[in-house]
Amino acid sequence: LMLSGVTIEKPETVTIDLDVQVGMDTIIGPFARILGNTVIGEDCRIGACAILHDAVIGNGAEVFAFSMVSASKLGVNAHAGPFARLRMGAELGDEAHVGNFVELKNSRMGTKSKSMHLAYLGDSQLGSGVNIGAGTITCNYDGKKKHKTTIGDGAFVGSNSTLVAPIEV
């Protein structure tokens, strides 16, 4: 990978599986683990101690330090972390951002949507330009079944909101 234009900081500390694909001008930080069938685009940044497993990372995207992306996708110029967790079908649209201690599970955030602090978004569909306040959670499980939360384009959800699914904002 290094011979094909990928920068790996402290390569002796990084784990990269054989089937992984990484585009030119991408930088991989120390202690990163890139596993499975992960595909990373060009001009990306994978932070220190990040773990990617079966992830698809669009061109110009960044996975900040100590974040985990598993069976999920980041669009072009999307950002995740630090300390973010995307799992089981999470998807960030182009230029979408999730920040510190935000977890997505089976959720899609549209273009330029943001959730920057301390949120859990499970089984959710967020439109474009949505802002999710700190401490927001989607309550997607009623003890028997999972339900979906839908948040439309341009919505602003304030801090410490609890969205009990099924719900549409």
Side-chain angles (χ1 to χ4, degrees):
L1 289 172
M2 293 170 74
L3 291 173
S4 66
V6 176
T7 299
I8 303 175
E9 299 170 344
K10 298 200 180 236
E12 68 277 11
T13 68
V14 174
T15 301
I16 300 175
D17 281 352
L18 290 174
D19 291 330
V20 168
Q21 299 173 39
V22 183
M24 281 183 60
D25 298 322
T26 289
I27 300 170
I28 299 171
F31 297 99
R33 298 183 68 214
I34 305 174
L35 311 170
N37 293 310
T38 295
V39 177
I40 300 171
E42 294 182 354
D43 198 30
C44 294
R45 173 114 183 137
I46 308 303
C49 302
I51 301 171
L52 283 65
H53 186 259
D54 294 336
V56 176
I57 310 299
N59 292 336
E62 186 162 3
V63 177
F64 288 89
F66 298 98
S67 295
M68 178 181 287
V69 181
S70 179
S72 297
K73 298 178 182 180
L74 273 70
V76 173
N77 296 319
H79 294 154
F83 298 100
R85 184 171 184 210
L86 282 68
R87 62 189 179 96
M88 295 171 45
E91 186 173 338
L92 297 183
D94 294 346
E95 299 180 48
H97 295 239
V98 294
N100 305 329
F101 305 103
V102 174
E103 180 175 0
L104 269 69
K105 195 257 329 157
N106 193 32
S107 294
R108 185 187 187 309
M109 292 183 74
T111 300
K112 296 185 179 180
S113 288
K114 293 189 256 185
S115 179
M116 297 307 292
H117 315 283
L118 305 164
Y120 171 76
L121 303 170
D123 298 305
S124 309
Q125 178 75 35
L126 284 72
S128 297
V130 172
N131 186 70
I132 301 294
T136 296
I137 63 170
T138 57
C139 302
N140 55 326
Y141 185 61
D142 66 8
K144 295 179 185 172
K145 291 173 51 177
K146 299 258 181 162
H147 300 281
K148 188 171 193 137
T149 297
T150 303
I151 301 173
D153 292 345
F156 178 90
V157 178
S159 295
N160 280 338
S161 296
T162 302
L163 304 174
V164 182
I167 188 172
E168 186 171 335
V169 177

